[in-house]
Amino acid sequence: MIEQDTVKLLRECDAGVKMGIESIEDVLGHVRSHTMERQLTECKQAHAALGSELQTLLDRYHDAGKNPPALASAMSEMMTNLKLAVNETDATIASVMTDGCNMGVKSLNRYLNQYKAADEVSKDIAKRLINLEAKLAVDLRAYL
């Protein structure tokens, strides 16, 4: 049970990291504030570093990881583009990204609770990813 829950939690974290990176990439070209751009870039780099850690752990379990659901990725990109087409401002970007961060925090906490038997290393990665998402949401409040 421990190994099964560990792999499942790692997969969900992998999908979350990939979704976070995709979302940041979707908005970076539209950001006007240099500070916001730096915050998003640093967050993207932190996601990538966690992604590397996740891949190492997934490799130990001979697991390929998980991509975000295609529909979720497509819908996220479509909604982001639609909102930016209507109002291309840093406030819009902050709003879109905050919503995404909040969904990520919610989902990851649900998986953390669902896969209670996961090992402490995978739980730690999930918690660090949750903290990354929560911190970005807080940082972006200044632009709302």
Side-chain angles (χ1 to χ4, degrees), residues 67-121:
N67 287 319
L71 183 60
S73 290
M75 290 297 293
S76 173
E77 183 178 4
M78 185 180 73
M79 289 304 297
T80 298
N81 290 335
L82 181 63
K83 288 180 180 183
L84 288 174
V86 172
N87 190 15
E88 188 173 332
T89 64
D90 287 348
T92 301
I93 293 167
S95 177
V96 167
M97 292 304 296
T98 299
D99 289 346
C101 289
N102 291 337
M103 288 190 320
V105 167
K106 181 180 170 183
S107 296
L108 289 164
N109 274 298
R110 185 176 64 245
Y111 293 128
L112 203 50
N113 292 331
Q114 185 176 351
Y115 303 122
K116 289 184 187 303
D119 70 10
E120 292 305 314
V121 173

Short mmCIF file of all heavy atoms in Angstrom, two decimals, residues 67-121:
data_model
loop_
_atom_site.label_atom_id
_atom_site.label_comp_id
_atom_site.label_asym_id
_atom_site.label_seq_id
_atom_site.Cartn_x
_atom_site.Cartn_y
_atom_site.Cartn_z
N ASN A 67 1.00 13.26 -17.18
CA ASN A 67 0.77 14.58 -17.77
C ASN A 67 -0.57 15.09 -17.28
O ASN A 67 -1.46 14.30 -16.95
CB ASN A 67 0.76 14.48 -19.29
CG ASN A 67 2.15 14.25 -19.85
OD1 ASN A 67 3.12 14.84 -19.38
ND2 ASN A 67 2.25 13.39 -20.83
N PRO A 68 -0.73 16.42 -17.26
CA PRO A 68 -2.06 16.95 -16.90
C PRO A 68 -3.08 16.45 -17.92
O PRO A 68 -2.73 16.23 -19.08
CB PRO A 68 -1.89 18.46 -17.00
CG PRO A 68 -0.45 18.73 -17.18
CD PRO A 68 0.22 17.46 -17.59
N PRO A 69 -4.31 16.27 -17.50
CA PRO A 69 -5.33 15.86 -18.46
C PRO A 69 -5.37 16.84 -19.64
O PRO A 69 -5.35 18.06 -19.45
CB PRO A 69 -6.63 15.91 -17.66
CG PRO A 69 -6.20 15.79 -16.23
CD PRO A 69 -4.84 16.45 -16.16
N ALA A 70 -5.42 16.30 -20.84
CA ALA A 70 -5.39 17.14 -22.05
C ALA A 70 -6.52 18.16 -22.06
O ALA A 70 -6.32 19.32 -22.44
CB ALA A 70 -5.46 16.25 -23.29
N LEU A 71 -7.70 17.74 -21.63
CA LEU A 71 -8.84 18.65 -21.61
C LEU A 71 -8.60 19.80 -20.63
O LEU A 71 -8.89 20.96 -20.94
CB LEU A 71 -10.13 17.90 -21.26
CG LEU A 71 -11.41 18.73 -21.28
CD1 LEU A 71 -11.64 19.34 -22.67
CD2 LEU A 71 -12.59 17.88 -20.87
N ALA A 72 -8.04 19.49 -19.47
CA ALA A 72 -7.76 20.53 -18.48
C ALA A 72 -6.73 21.53 -19.01
O ALA A 72 -6.90 22.74 -18.85
CB ALA A 72 -7.26 19.91 -17.17
N SER A 73 -5.70 21.03 -19.66
CA SER A 73 -4.68 21.91 -20.24
C SER A 73 -5.27 22.79 -21.33
O SER A 73 -5.02 24.00 -21.37
CB SER A 73 -3.54 21.08 -20.83
OG SER A 73 -2.79 20.47 -19.82
N ALA A 74 -6.06 22.19 -22.21
CA ALA A 74 -6.66 22.94 -23.31
C ALA A 74 -7.63 24.00 -22.79
O ALA A 74 -7.64 25.14 -23.26
CB ALA A 74 -7.37 22.00 -24.27
N MET A 75 -8.46 23.62 -21.83
CA MET A 75 -9.42 24.57 -21.26
C MET A 75 -8.71 25.72 -20.54
O MET A 75 -9.11 26.88 -20.66
CB MET A 75 -10.38 23.86 -20.29
CG MET A 75 -11.36 22.93 -20.97
SD MET A 75 -12.49 23.78 -22.09
CE MET A 75 -13.43 24.74 -20.94
N SER A 76 -7.66 25.39 -19.81
CA SER A 76 -6.90 26.42 -19.10
C SER A 76 -6.29 27.41 -20.08
O SER A 76 -6.42 28.63 -19.90
CB SER A 76 -5.80 25.75 -18.27
OG SER A 76 -4.96 26.73 -17.71
N GLU A 77 -5.68 26.89 -21.13
CA GLU A 77 -5.06 27.77 -22.12
C GLU A 77 -6.12 28.61 -22.84
O GLU A 77 -5.94 29.82 -23.06
CB GLU A 77 -4.27 26.95 -23.14
CG GLU A 77 -3.54 27.81 -24.15
CD GLU A 77 -2.70 27.01 -25.13
OE1 GLU A 77 -2.73 25.76 -25.09
OE2 GLU A 77 -2.03 27.65 -25.95
N MET A 78 -7.24 28.00 -23.18
CA MET A 78 -8.31 28.71 -23.87
C MET A 78 -8.88 29.83 -23.00
O MET A 78 -9.06 30.96 -23.46
CB MET A 78 -9.43 27.74 -24.27
CG MET A 78 -10.52 28.38 -25.10
SD MET A 78 -11.81 27.25 -25.56
CE MET A 78 -12.66 27.04 -24.01
N MET A 79 -9.13 29.53 -21.74
CA MET A 79 -9.69 30.56 -20.83
C MET A 79 -8.69 31.68 -20.61
O MET A 79 -9.07 32.86 -20.59
CB MET A 79 -10.09 29.92 -19.50
CG MET A 79 -11.32 29.05 -19.59
SD MET A 79 -12.77 29.89 -20.28
CE MET A 79 -13.05 31.14 -19.07
N THR A 80 -7.42 31.33 -20.47
CA THR A 80 -6.40 32.36 -20.29
C THR A 80 -6.35 33.27 -21.51
O THR A 80 -6.36 34.50 -21.38
CB THR A 80 -5.01 31.70 -20.06
OG1 THR A 80 -5.07 30.94 -18.85
CG2 THR A 80 -3.91 32.74 -19.95
N ASN A 81 -6.31 32.67 -22.69
CA ASN A 81 -6.25 33.48 -23.92
C ASN A 81 -7.49 34.33 -24.09
O ASN A 81 -7.40 35.49 -24.52
CB ASN A 81 -6.04 32.57 -25.13
CG ASN A 81 -4.65 31.98 -25.16
OD1 ASN A 81 -3.71 32.54 -24.61
ND2 ASN A 81 -4.52 30.83 -25.81
N LEU A 82 -8.66 33.79 -23.76
CA LEU A 82 -9.90 34.55 -23.87
C LEU A 82 -9.89 35.74 -22.92
O LEU A 82 -10.21 36.87 -23.33
CB LEU A 82 -11.10 33.64 -23.57
CG LEU A 82 -12.48 34.28 -23.67
CD1 LEU A 82 -12.75 34.73 -25.10
CD2 LEU A 82 -13.54 33.29 -23.23
N LYS A 83 -9.52 35.51 -21.68
CA LYS A 83 -9.50 36.61 -20.71
C LYS A 83 -8.48 37.67 -21.09
O LYS A 83 -8.73 38.87 -20.93
CB LYS A 83 -9.22 36.06 -19.31
CG LYS A 83 -10.41 35.30 -18.74
CD LYS A 83 -10.13 34.76 -17.36
CE LYS A 83 -11.36 34.01 -16.85
NZ LYS A 83 -11.19 33.52 -15.49
N LEU A 84 -7.33 37.23 -21.61
CA LEU A 84 -6.31 38.20 -22.01
C LEU A 84 -6.72 38.96 -23.27
O LEU A 84 -6.35 40.12 -23.45
CB LEU A 84 -4.96 37.52 -22.20
CG LEU A 84 -4.28 37.07 -20.92
CD1 LEU A 84 -3.02 36.27 -21.23
CD2 LEU A 84 -3.94 38.26 -20.02
N ALA A 85 -7.49 38.33 -24.15
CA ALA A 85 -7.97 39.01 -25.35
C ALA A 85 -8.93 40.14 -24.99
O ALA A 85 -8.94 41.18 -25.64
CB ALA A 85 -8.65 38.02 -26.29
N VAL A 86 -9.70 39.92 -23.94
CA VAL A 86 -10.67 40.92 -23.50
C VAL A 86 -9.98 42.03 -22.71
O VAL A 86 -10.31 43.21 -22.85
CB VAL A 86 -11.79 40.26 -22.65
CG1 VAL A 86 -12.68 41.30 -22.01
CG2 VAL A 86 -12.60 39.30 -23.50
N ASN A 87 -9.00 41.65 -21.89
CA ASN A 87 -8.38 42.62 -21.00
C ASN A 87 -6.95 42.18 -20.69
O ASN A 87 -6.70 41.48 -19.71
CB ASN A 87 -9.20 42.74 -19.71
CG ASN A 87 -8.75 43.88 -18.83
OD1 ASN A 87 -8.03 44.77 -19.27
ND2 ASN A 87 -9.19 43.86 -17.59
N GLU A 88 -6.01 42.59 -21.52
CA GLU A 88 -4.62 42.17 -21.37
C GLU A 88 -3.89 43.08 -20.38
O GLU A 88 -3.21 44.03 -20.77
CB GLU A 88 -3.89 42.15 -22.71
CG GLU A 88 -2.52 41.53 -22.62
CD GLU A 88 -1.86 41.34 -23.97
OE1 GLU A 88 -2.56 41.18 -24.97
OE2 GLU A 88 -0.62 41.37 -23.99
N THR A 89 -4.07 42.78 -19.10
CA THR A 89 -3.41 43.55 -18.05
C THR A 89 -2.75 42.60 -17.06
O THR A 89 -3.07 41.41 -17.01
CB THR A 89 -4.41 44.43 -17.28
OG1 THR A 89 -5.34 43.56 -16.59
CG2 THR A 89 -5.18 45.37 -18.20
N ASP A 90 -1.87 43.15 -16.26
CA ASP A 90 -1.25 42.34 -15.21
C ASP A 90 -2.29 41.89 -14.18
O ASP A 90 -2.16 40.81 -13.60
CB ASP A 90 -0.12 43.13 -14.53
CG ASP A 90 1.12 43.24 -15.41
OD1 ASP A 90 1.20 42.53 -16.44
OD2 ASP A 90 2.01 44.04 -15.08
N ALA A 91 -3.32 42.69 -13.99
CA ALA A 91 -4.39 42.31 -13.06
C ALA A 91 -5.11 41.06 -13.56
O ALA A 91 -5.44 40.16 -12.78
CB ALA A 91 -5.38 43.46 -12.87
N THR A 92 -5.36 41.00 -14.86
CA THR A 92 -6.00 39.82 -15.44
C THR A 92 -5.10 38.60 -15.28
O THR A 92 -5.56 37.51 -14.90
CB THR A 92 -6.32 40.05 -16.94
OG1 THR A 92 -7.17 41.18 -17.04
CG2 THR A 92 -6.98 38.84 -17.55
N ILE A 93 -3.82 38.77 -15.55
CA ILE A 93 -2.86 37.67 -15.40
C ILE A 93 -2.83 37.21 -13.95
O ILE A 93 -2.87 36.01 -13.66
CB ILE A 93 -1.46 38.10 -15.88
CG1 ILE A 93 -1.49 38.31 -17.39
CG2 ILE A 93 -0.41 37.06 -15.49
CD1 ILE A 93 -0.27 39.01 -17.95
N ALA A 94 -2.78 38.17 -13.03
CA ALA A 94 -2.76 37.82 -11.61
C ALA A 94 -4.02 37.04 -11.21
O ALA A 94 -3.95 36.06 -10.46
CB ALA A 94 -2.62 39.08 -10.75
N SER A 95 -5.15 37.46 -11.74
CA SER A 95 -6.41 36.79 -11.43
C SER A 95 -6.41 35.35 -11.95
O SER A 95 -6.77 34.41 -11.23
CB SER A 95 -7.57 37.59 -12.02
OG SER A 95 -8.79 36.93 -11.79
N VAL A 96 -6.03 35.19 -13.21
CA VAL A 96 -6.00 33.86 -13.83
C VAL A 96 -5.02 32.94 -13.08
O VAL A 96 -5.34 31.79 -12.77
CB VAL A 96 -5.59 33.98 -15.32
CG1 VAL A 96 -5.23 32.64 -15.91
CG2 VAL A 96 -6.70 34.64 -16.12
N MET A 97 -3.85 33.46 -12.79
CA MET A 97 -2.83 32.65 -12.12
C MET A 97 -3.23 32.33 -10.68
O MET A 97 -2.98 31.22 -10.20
CB MET A 97 -1.47 33.35 -12.15
CG MET A 97 -0.86 33.46 -13.55
SD MET A 97 -0.67 31.86 -14.39
CE MET A 97 0.50 31.05 -13.31
N THR A 98 -3.85 33.27 -10.00
CA THR A 98 -4.30 33.03 -8.63
C THR A 98 -5.35 31.92 -8.61
O THR A 98 -5.31 31.02 -7.76
CB THR A 98 -4.86 34.32 -8.00
OG1 THR A 98 -3.80 35.29 -7.96
CG2 THR A 98 -5.35 34.09 -6.60
N ASP A 99 -6.29 31.98 -9.56
CA ASP A 99 -7.30 30.92 -9.65
C ASP A 99 -6.63 29.56 -9.88
O ASP A 99 -7.01 28.56 -9.26
CB ASP A 99 -8.29 31.20 -10.79
CG ASP A 99 -9.22 32.36 -10.49
OD1 ASP A 99 -9.29 32.80 -9.31
OD2 ASP A 99 -9.88 32.84 -11.44
N GLY A 100 -5.65 29.51 -10.77
CA GLY A 100 -4.94 28.27 -11.04
C GLY A 100 -4.18 27.76 -9.82
O GLY A 100 -4.20 26.57 -9.52
N CYS A 101 -3.53 28.67 -9.12
CA CYS A 101 -2.80 28.30 -7.91
C CYS A 101 -3.75 27.72 -6.86
O CYS A 101 -3.45 26.70 -6.23
CB CYS A 101 -2.06 29.50 -7.32
SG CYS A 101 -0.63 30.04 -8.27
N ASN A 102 -4.89 28.39 -6.69
CA ASN A 102 -5.86 27.92 -5.71
C ASN A 102 -6.39 26.54 -6.06
O ASN A 102 -6.56 25.68 -5.18
CB ASN A 102 -7.00 28.93 -5.56
CG ASN A 102 -6.55 30.21 -4.89
OD1 ASN A 102 -5.55 30.24 -4.18
ND2 ASN A 102 -7.26 31.28 -5.14
N MET A 103 -6.63 26.29 -7.35
CA MET A 103 -7.07 24.95 -7.77
C MET A 103 -5.98 23.93 -7.52
O MET A 103 -6.25 22.80 -7.09
CB MET A 103 -7.48 24.95 -9.25
CG MET A 103 -8.78 25.66 -9.50
SD MET A 103 -9.49 25.49 -11.16
CE MET A 103 -8.11 25.58 -12.25
N GLY A 104 -4.73 24.30 -7.79
CA GLY A 104 -3.61 23.40 -7.54
C GLY A 104 -3.47 23.06 -6.07
O GLY A 104 -3.29 21.89 -5.71
N VAL A 105 -3.56 24.06 -5.21
CA VAL A 105 -3.46 23.84 -3.76
C VAL A 105 -4.58 22.91 -3.29
O VAL A 105 -4.34 21.96 -2.54
CB VAL A 105 -3.51 25.19 -2.99
CG1 VAL A 105 -3.72 24.97 -1.50
CG2 VAL A 105 -2.22 25.97 -3.24
N LYS A 106 -5.77 23.16 -3.77
CA LYS A 106 -6.93 22.34 -3.39
C LYS A 106 -6.73 20.88 -3.83
O LYS A 106 -6.91 19.95 -3.05
CB LYS A 106 -8.19 22.93 -4.02
CG LYS A 106 -9.47 22.19 -3.70
CD LYS A 106 -10.64 22.88 -4.38
CE LYS A 106 -11.89 22.05 -4.29
NZ LYS A 106 -13.00 22.68 -5.01
N SER A 107 -6.37 20.70 -5.10
CA SER A 107 -6.18 19.35 -5.63
C SER A 107 -5.06 18.61 -4.92
O SER A 107 -5.21 17.44 -4.54
CB SER A 107 -5.85 19.40 -7.13
OG SER A 107 -6.93 19.93 -7.85
N LEU A 108 -3.94 19.28 -4.74
CA LEU A 108 -2.79 18.62 -4.11
C LEU A 108 -3.08 18.25 -2.65
O LEU A 108 -2.66 17.19 -2.18
CB LEU A 108 -1.55 19.50 -4.21
CG LEU A 108 -0.98 19.60 -5.63
CD1 LEU A 108 -0.01 20.77 -5.73
CD2 LEU A 108 -0.30 18.30 -6.03
N ASN A 109 -3.80 19.10 -1.95
CA ASN A 109 -4.18 18.75 -0.58
C ASN A 109 -5.12 17.55 -0.56
O ASN A 109 -5.01 16.68 0.29
CB ASN A 109 -4.82 19.95 0.14
CG ASN A 109 -3.77 20.82 0.77
OD1 ASN A 109 -3.04 20.40 1.65
ND2 ASN A 109 -3.68 22.06 0.30
N ARG A 110 -6.03 17.50 -1.54
CA ARG A 110 -6.93 16.36 -1.64
C ARG A 110 -6.13 15.07 -1.88
O ARG A 110 -6.37 14.05 -1.23
CB ARG A 110 -7.95 16.57 -2.76
CG ARG A 110 -9.00 15.46 -2.84
CD ARG A 110 -10.08 15.69 -3.90
NE ARG A 110 -9.51 15.71 -5.24
CZ ARG A 110 -9.49 16.76 -6.05
NH1 ARG A 110 -10.02 17.91 -5.67
NH2 ARG A 110 -8.96 16.68 -7.25
N TYR A 111 -5.14 15.12 -2.78
CA TYR A 111 -4.32 13.93 -3.05
C TYR A 111 -3.47 13.56 -1.85
O TYR A 111 -3.27 12.39 -1.56
CB TYR A 111 -3.44 14.15 -4.28
CG TYR A 111 -4.24 14.27 -5.55
CD1 TYR A 111 -4.05 15.36 -6.41
CD2 TYR A 111 -5.19 13.31 -5.90
CE1 TYR A 111 -4.79 15.47 -7.57
CE2 TYR A 111 -5.93 13.43 -7.07
CZ TYR A 111 -5.73 14.51 -7.90
OH TYR A 111 -6.46 14.62 -9.05
N LEU A 112 -2.98 14.55 -1.15
CA LEU A 112 -2.19 14.29 0.06
C LEU A 112 -3.04 13.55 1.09
O LEU A 112 -2.57 12.61 1.74
CB LEU A 112 -1.68 15.62 0.62
CG LEU A 112 -0.47 15.66 1.52
CD1 LEU A 112 0.70 14.90 0.94
CD2 LEU A 112 -0.08 17.10 1.79
N ASN A 113 -4.29 13.94 1.22
CA ASN A 113 -5.21 13.26 2.14
C ASN A 113 -5.63 11.89 1.61
O ASN A 113 -5.81 10.95 2.38
CB ASN A 113 -6.44 14.12 2.40
CG ASN A 113 -6.12 15.37 3.17
OD1 ASN A 113 -5.19 15.40 3.95
ND2 ASN A 113 -6.87 16.43 2.93
N GLN A 114 -5.79 11.79 0.32
CA GLN A 114 -6.23 10.53 -0.29
C GLN A 114 -5.16 9.45 -0.22
O GLN A 114 -5.47 8.28 -0.01
CB GLN A 114 -6.60 10.79 -1.76
CG GLN A 114 -7.17 9.61 -2.48
CD GLN A 114 -7.59 9.98 -3.91
OE1 GLN A 114 -7.60 11.15 -4.30
NE2 GLN A 114 -7.94 8.98 -4.68
N TYR A 115 -3.91 9.83 -0.39
CA TYR A 115 -2.81 8.87 -0.41
C TYR A 115 -2.00 8.95 0.88
O TYR A 115 -0.80 9.19 0.89
CB TYR A 115 -1.93 9.09 -1.65
CG TYR A 115 -2.72 8.99 -2.93
CD1 TYR A 115 -2.75 10.04 -3.84
CD2 TYR A 115 -3.45 7.85 -3.23
CE1 TYR A 115 -3.49 9.96 -5.02
CE2 TYR A 115 -4.20 7.76 -4.40
CZ TYR A 115 -4.21 8.81 -5.28
OH TYR A 115 -4.94 8.72 -6.45
N LYS A 116 -2.69 8.73 1.98
CA LYS A 116 -2.09 8.84 3.32
C LYS A 116 -0.92 7.89 3.55
O LYS A 116 -0.03 8.18 4.33
CB LYS A 116 -3.15 8.57 4.39
CG LYS A 116 -4.19 9.66 4.53
CD LYS A 116 -5.13 9.34 5.68
CE LYS A 116 -6.28 10.29 5.78
NZ LYS A 116 -5.99 11.68 5.92
N ALA A 117 -0.92 6.76 2.87
CA ALA A 117 0.13 5.76 3.07
C ALA A 117 1.40 6.07 2.28
O ALA A 117 2.39 5.34 2.38
CB ALA A 117 -0.38 4.36 2.71
N ALA A 118 1.40 7.14 1.51
CA ALA A 118 2.59 7.51 0.73
C ALA A 118 3.77 7.76 1.66
O ALA A 118 3.59 8.16 2.82
CB ALA A 118 2.30 8.76 -0.11
N ASP A 119 4.98 7.54 1.15
CA ASP A 119 6.15 7.75 1.99
C ASP A 119 6.36 9.24 2.27
O ASP A 119 5.78 10.10 1.61
CB ASP A 119 7.40 7.09 1.38
CG ASP A 119 7.91 7.77 0.12
OD1 ASP A 119 7.44 8.87 -0.23
OD2 ASP A 119 8.80 7.20 -0.52
N GLU A 120 7.18 9.52 3.26
CA GLU A 120 7.39 10.90 3.70
C GLU A 120 8.07 11.76 2.66
O GLU A 120 7.83 12.97 2.58
CB GLU A 120 8.16 10.93 5.02
CG GLU A 120 7.37 10.38 6.20
CD GLU A 120 6.02 11.06 6.41
OE1 GLU A 120 5.96 12.31 6.37
OE2 GLU A 120 5.02 10.34 6.58
N VAL A 121 8.91 11.17 1.82
CA VAL A 121 9.61 11.94 0.79
C VAL A 121 8.60 12.48 -0.22
O VAL A 121 8.66 13.66 -0.59
CB VAL A 121 10.68 11.07 0.09
CG1 VAL A 121 11.29 11.79 -1.10
CG2 VAL A 121 11.77 10.67 1.07
#
